[in-house]
Amino acid sequence: MRILGRLLFLLLFAVAASFLYQPLRSLFQVPPPAPAIVEQLDLTARSSTVYFLPENEWLTFPIIGQAERLRILTHAGADPDTEREVPLRYALEYELLDGNRNPLHVGVYTQESHLPQPLIKDGVAVSPNLYTDRDLAVATGQSFNLQLDALPGTAYIRLRLKPLRPPLGNVAVRVYYEERMSERRANVAWERLSQTQKLRLAQGAIYPPELLTRQEQLNLLERQWQPVGPLGTNPAQGSLFSIQGAEALMDPERMPRAPGLYAGPQRLGVLPIEAAGSYRIQFTPLLINDDLTPELALRHVTELLEEPREEHAVLTGEPPSSELSLSPGLLVVIPNQPGMLDIRPVEKPEQSSLPEIRYLRTWRIGSDFPVRFQILPGDEVRTSLRLDLRAYGDGEPLLVEKALQAEYRVLDDQGRTVDQGALEANVLPSMIDRVADTQPIADLSEPASFFLRLPPEAVRLELTSQQRLLANAYTRPDNLPHRTRVPVDYYAWRGDSGQPSWFILQPLEAEAPLEGSAQEEPSDKKEPSGNTSPETSLVLHIQSRPPERDPELLAGRYQWEALEPQLAARGARLLVPLRGEERLRPSGLPAYFQPLQPGTQTVEIAAPGVSRRLEPQLIYLRDDSTPFTLRVAIDGRTVRQELIGRRGYINLPPVSPGLHEVVLDASTSGTWLMNYRYPDEAGYLRRMAFRLDGESLRYPVDKRQDGQLVGARFYSLGESGAASTVRVRIIAAAPKGGPTKEWTHLERLYQITPTDKEAGVGYVLDQQRERLAHGQPILIDLGTDLPDGPVAVEFSLESGVPGYLVFHEVLPGDYERTRSFREGEE
């Protein structure tokens, strides 16, 4: 009986101990000692258990409950005297194993960190992360996630460091697996949380945890990151303390600059102006110099084919500013000293009109830093490649033109070289783009572009150089038409950039070899790390580039010639209002018509350089088609005609250049237009065009070495908002081999949509009812990648509203008009 009582007592004790173990466990645990400075400054510190990664042995962690995702957090420890600017780089090897410890996936993650800004409490600087028993400076934590969906048999992950380099002392790691709770379990778990735990979970919400809805509570608990410890009896571990209750230190050297766009004598500011109006341009100098008054040189580039308007602005006030009246275009600003630009509408001074900063990540290349890009093989569709190279001074300004040179290799899937060569170009220092970290230093050149049509077996590209260069690679399928929205995509101030022409590639690997290790040839079976060392890349600030205008065109020295299609096409004479972007020259006066008023008036007949008699014409435009009488007298000589229809023309008596008295008398109202007069804003332009509808139009072009301009204007017959998509095909001999510095898109799509102001403003003179929209330009570049000789340009209507097309060739420079004759037998 006594024995039975003792057994019953032991059973009751065991049951009570099982219930009281969890609540009483904390009473018997000795918390890790916090750093002394935490108590001295009355700070709050939260400790986390971390494990120190060995360099020569693996540290293995089990994966609990077939988790679908892992998170690995690392903290580098460095010498206490390490400067914050020093990059702390370390490489972390990992392996995913199955239940039998067989590798399923291997990889390397290269991390880079820096020592964080200290916190301040009572004037004392405190590191945000501290160890109690280690005299190390702890860097900002780095993390990466591993998705295990594709490897459901993963049971372990093991980690190992590659050899560390000074000033690194160690790397601590924490491993978490993602735990998903059921709705029932999450309901119970929320009620068991302490208030501190609830506050920590709900710290991202804008209201306290008591006000969270049931669904919000479930969302917070549905996925939780749970820590897991490594296997082994005595892994090296420690306690990392995160300090709270102190304020962040603002380093004066790292204080943010005044808002705006950086500009200076060696760095232009390019400001897109989307809408006409009054603007206030503001400039805040970065250096205090009372002897230097802020001044801005301004160049306004618009859609008009003319020299950009230039002016000078002396800024006054605080901050220095000036009010300008601007029209849509690009405003190029050159300050007389470094500073920050801002521009605001006068009517909305609180709203900045600065463009959103555009960034581009670019990659360093050198003899020790080859950059490799993966390319999809072109079994069915060939791939084209574009390479942009820039000279880089690495903190030293580029003062003069610089010759750059790089080497490229194209490899197949067996690692064999299928193409290789050199890339050479001369580049100028850039006044548009800058390295984001060194804005004031002009250590960057303009990009030099090279284009390659890759062989089908190409899968990888490798770039090297003996110089300090920056590189970007872009690709596009050869059968992808180049899309352009006309005219939006022609002008940087019209809106977004639309579909890109080229698609940027990220390097396969860009990390520098560790000291003492050999540079290995890339293996096709090696998994890319997916992480690129920040040391091998830079971020650039890039801006819109003002369009380059040919000075010969601006001066009116060129030959304009309209070409006719090869096949029979339906032609018609068009009459459209003049617009400012169309260049008007004296030689085109026969095609320019100005309004003529009813009654008696003095008219100047103009024909520069011509003394012979001219035969002007008069065009009439009416809303009514009934018969009417028209009488026109020039210097007493009268032409009287009985006419019918809404539109047409008559020939007038011959006249010589000069002033003439013209009398116009009509039995109906209408618009009357006469040519051989200097045009103004009220004038019209007559063109011969060909209808683009069901049948395509093909035009022959003689591509020459001199840079002729080829293009077209499409006059839509649609109403406002009715789009037309015109397909253009360039049919030429096989493009040149090897890298070229220009590129021709052989197939293009132009989407043309008239606006309310553009639709229905023109006339088809040979049709009594058709109205036209303003002509929109279709710009076609025939680059040096195409061989010289005959080229065919074919237009077809892909979809939408039909219209009329004028195809032309422009040859810049002076061209003499010649006449030829043939002697015949008498």
Side-chain angles (χ1 to χ4, degrees):
M1 189 70 179
R2 185 178 298 176
I3 295 175
L4 184 59
R6 290 177 179 176
L7 291 174
L8 182 61
F9 174 78
L10 290 174
L11 180 62
L12 292 173
F13 178 80
V15 172
S18 65
F19 280 100
L20 296 175
Y21 172 73
Q22 290 293 340
L24 296 178
R25 183 178 63 170
S26 59
L27 298 178
F28 298 97
Q29 286 184 333
V30 179
I37 197 170
V38 173
E39 297 182 1
Q40 293 172 6
L41 299 178
D42 192 23
L43 296 169
T44 302
R46 189 173 65 189
S47 67
S48 301
T49 300
V50 294
Y51 302 92
F52 299 105
L53 286 171
E55 296 183 7
N56 300 317
E57 299 178 359
W58 294 99
L59 194 61
T60 304
F61 295 81
I63 296 176
I64 309 299
Q66 296 297 317
E68 296 182 359
R69 197 157 49 141
L70 296 179
R71 176 174 292 175
I72 294 92
L73 280 74
T74 57
H75 283 272
D79 187 277
D81 297 329
T82 304
E83 299 289 340
R84 286 201 316 273
E85 292 75 17
V86 175
L88 305 176
R89 294 185 62 230
Y90 51 96
L92 186 66
E93 298 181 272
Y94 69 90
E95 291 186 357
L96 299 178
L97 312 175
D98 63 14
N100 297 321
R101 306 290 181 99
N102 297 317
L104 299 175
H105 178 77
V106 298
V108 177
Y109 249 92
T110 300
Q111 303 278 29
E112 179 177 288
S113 186
H114 292 78
L115 298 182
Q117 288 280 350
L119 305 175
I120 295 295
K121 181 67 180 294
D122 297 338
V124 179
V126 185
S127 175
N129 299 303
L130 292 170
Y131 291 117
T132 301
D133 55 348
R134 287 174 170 80
D135 187 19
L136 290 173
V138 184
T140 303
Q142 302 294 309
S143 68
F144 65 94
N145 292 351
L146 291 174
Q147 203 74 25
L148 304 181
D149 297 353
L151 299 171
T154 306
Y156 304 95
I157 179 175
R158 60 180 189 174
L159 307 168
R160 180 175 64 182
L161 276 177
K162 286 191 173 182
L164 297 176
R165 291 179 289 177
L168 284 175
N170 65 16
V171 174
V173 66
R174 285 176 281 171
V175 176
Y176 296 84
Y177 69 93
E178 186 182 55
E179 181 184 51
R180 297 191 178 186
M181 289 189 181
S182 65
E183 182 177 347
R184 178 181 177 185
R185 184 181 172 193
N187 280 323
V188 176
W190 180 263
E191 300 302 331
R192 292 183 175 179
L193 292 176
S194 66
Q195 184 64 17
T196 302
Q197 291 171 322
K198 291 179 180 178
L199 287 171
R200 186 180 303 168
L201 277 176
Q203 62 184 351
I206 61 175
Y207 37 81
E210 291 78 15
L211 300 181
L212 293 175
T213 65
R214 175 61 61 183
Q215 187 59 49
E216 288 172 329
Q217 295 172 1
L218 297 180
N219 291 341
L220 292 174
L221 289 173
E222 182 183 11
R223 297 189 179 191
Q224 292 287 313
W225 290 104
Q226 301 295 344
V228 58
L231 301 177
T233 57
N234 191 26
Q237 65 183 53
S239 295
L240 179 65
F241 289 85
S242 298
I243 306 302
Q244 300 171 347
E247 297 181 356
L249 170 67
M250 295 301 295
D251 187 345
E253 297 296 327
R254 295 175 176 264
M255 288 284 287
R257 291 194 178 118
L261 175 69
Y262 174 82
Q266 302 300 323
R267 211 273 185 165
L268 308 180
V270 183
L271 307 178
I273 307 299
E274 296 183 16
S278 295
Y279 292 83
R280 179 167 294 279
I281 188 166
Q282 178 180 306
F283 180 75
T284 305
L286 292 179
L287 304 175
I288 300 177
N289 187 349
D290 296 334
D291 298 329
L292 188 60
T293 302
E295 297 182 6
L296 304 178
L298 306 173
R299 189 164 69 245
H300 196 192
V301 183
T302 66
E303 298 176 17
L304 302 180
L305 188 60
E306 62 184 14
E307 287 283 356
R309 187 179 81 249
E310 297 186 2
E311 57 183 303
H312 218 72
V314 178
L315 308 185
T316 58
E318 187 57 42
S321 60
S322 178
E323 189 171 318
L324 304 170
S325 179
L326 301 173
S327 55
L330 288 180
L331 183 66
V332 182
V333 184
I334 310 175
N336 64 342
Q337 57 185 297
M340 308 303 291
L341 280 173
D342 198 359
I343 186 169
R344 298 171 182 268
V346 171
E347 296 180 354
K348 299 179 180 179
E350 74 285 351
Q351 177 180 325
S352 176
S353 296
L354 282 178
E356 183 178 351
I357 295 179
R358 296 162 56 196
Y359 296 98
L360 174 68
R361 182 171 291 279
T362 186
W363 312 95
R364 296 176 187 255
I365 61 172
S367 57
D368 296 329
F369 292 93
V371 179
R372 303 178 180 91
F373 298 94
Q374 188 76 29
I375 304 165
L376 292 177
D379 295 336
E380 298 180 1
V381 178
R382 297 188 64 171
T383 301
S384 300
L385 196 74
R386 171 184 138 200
L387 298 171
D388 285 357
L389 300 181
R390 301 172 187 258
Y392 176 51
D394 200 8
E396 296 294 328
L398 300 178
L399 303 178
V400 296
E401 183 179 19
K402 189 174 180 62
L404 60 79
Q405 183 176 27
E407 293 74 39
Y408 74 92
R409 284 202 309 151
V410 180
L411 310 174
D412 63 10
D413 57 358
Q414 302 298 318
R416 296 181 297 240
T417 300
V418 296
D419 187 20
Q420 62 182 347
L423 306 173
E424 298 178 352
N426 292 326
V427 290
L428 295 171
S430 179
M431 296 188 70
I432 301 291
D433 303 332
R434 282 292 181 270
V435 178
D437 292 338
T438 58
Q439 283 278 13
I441 304 175
D443 58 352
L444 191 69
S445 79
E446 287 290 297
S449 296
F450 302 89
F451 301 91
L452 293 166
R453 284 182 167 90
L454 299 176
E457 62 271 19
V459 298
R460 187 173 298 165
L461 173 83
E462 179 178 290
L463 284 175
T464 57
S465 177
Q466 300 298 320
Q467 302 170 310
R468 289 182 295 193
L469 302 181
L470 301 176
N472 285 99
Y474 305 82
T475 187
R476 65 176 284 116
D478 276 6
N479 67 342
L480 178 66
H482 178 228
R483 292 181 178 269
T484 303
R485 296 169 304 168
V486 180
V488 175
D489 292 340
Y490 291 151
Y491 306 113
W493 56 89
R494 286 287 190 100
D496 60 71
S497 58
Q499 176 186 327
S501 300
W502 297 86
F503 306 93
I504 194 166
L505 291 176
Q506 297 295 326
L508 189 65
E509 290 182 4
E511 60 184 72
L514 297 174
E515 289 184 357
S517 65
Q519 182 70 30
E520 297 180 352
E521 188 72 13
S523 169
D524 292 322
K525 297 182 180 180
K526 181 179 178 181
E527 288 287 333
S529 66
N531 186 49
T532 302
S533 166
E535 258 190 16
T536 64
S537 68
L538 292 173
V539 175
L540 307 182
H541 281 179
I542 59 176
Q543 299 185 89
S544 299
R545 277 172 164 71
E548 296 182 3
R549 302 262 168 84
D550 192 318
E552 297 288 341
L553 299 181
L554 296 178
R557 294 190 296 270
Y558 61 89
Q559 176 178 309
W560 188 95
E561 182 180 0
L563 303 179
E564 295 187 359
Q566 290 176 315
L567 303 177
R570 179 181 169 186
R573 286 165 295 183
L574 313 181
L575 189 72
V576 290
L578 290 173
R579 294 208 294 183
E581 74 271 16
E582 295 173 300
R583 183 73 181 185
L584 306 179
R585 296 183 301 158
S587 60
L589 288 176
Y592 301 141
F593 288 77
Q594 271 204 54
L596 198 65
Q597 301 302 323
T600 303
Q601 57 213 292
T602 300
V603 172
E604 180 182 5
I605 301 298
V610 177
S611 59
R612 58 183 173 81
R613 296 170 68 83
L614 306 171
E615 295 182 0
Q617 292 180 332
L618 185 138
I619 292 176
Y620 59 89
L621 304 171
R622 304 169 60 233
D623 296 329
D624 192 2
S625 60
T626 58
F628 68 100
T629 302
L630 178 64
R631 183 178 70 88
V632 181
I634 301 181
D635 296 336
R637 292 173 296 168
T638 302
V639 174
R640 179 185 177 90
Q641 292 196 11
E642 299 289 335
L643 302 170
I644 191 172
R646 289 184 169 87
R647 60 197 70 158
Y649 73 95
I650 64 171
N651 293 320
L652 299 178
V655 296
S656 59
L659 297 177
H660 299 270
E661 183 182 79
V662 178
V663 180
L664 186 146
D665 184 20
S667 62
T668 183
S669 61
T671 300
W672 321 97
L673 304 168
M674 182 178 177
N675 61 347
Y676 284 108
R677 302 168 64 194
Y678 279 109
D680 57 19
E681 295 180 356
Y684 282 77
L685 174 68
R686 185 176 63 187
R687 285 275 183 254
M688 183 67 185
F690 294 89
R691 190 178 180 93
L692 185 62
D693 199 344
E695 299 294 328
S696 61
L697 300 174
R698 180 178 292 190
Y699 294 85
V701 176
D702 182 17
K703 182 183 178 298
R704 285 162 273 182
Q705 292 183 355
D706 50 3
Q708 76 267 33
L709 303 177
V710 179
R713 279 192 178 268
F714 179 79
Y715 299 86
S716 172
L717 290 168
E719 299 178 352
S720 172
S724 304
T725 301
V726 178
R727 180 180 290 270
V728 178
R729 292 178 58 228
I730 310 297
I731 305 169
K736 298 178 182 178
T740 60
K741 295 183 180 180
E742 292 183 359
W743 182 266
T744 302
H745 295 288
L746 299 180
E747 191 159 353
R748 314 153 189 242
L749 294 175
Y750 295 86
Q751 181 176 328
I752 302 166
T753 307
T755 63
D756 290 337
K757 295 181 179 180
E758 296 171 337
V761 297
Y763 305 85
V764 182
L765 293 178
D766 300 308
Q767 298 289 331
Q768 292 295 305
R769 294 185 179 273
E770 288 187 334
R771 298 295 299 269
L772 295 164
H774 272 300
Q776 293 293 354
I778 295 178
L779 305 180
I780 303 169
D781 53 326
L782 304 178
T784 56
D785 57 317
L786 297 181
D788 295 333
V791 173
V793 182
E794 184 180 83
F795 296 84
S796 59
L797 186 65
E798 182 79 2
S799 63
V801 182
Y804 286 85
L805 192 82
V806 177
F807 184 73
H808 58 266
E809 180 182 37
V810 179
L811 299 175
D814 291 322
Y815 287 84
E816 295 183 359
R817 293 184 177 272
T818 58
R819 292 185 177 182
S820 61
F821 65 93
R822 182 178 61 184
E823 290 189 5
E825 296 181 359
E826 295 184 355

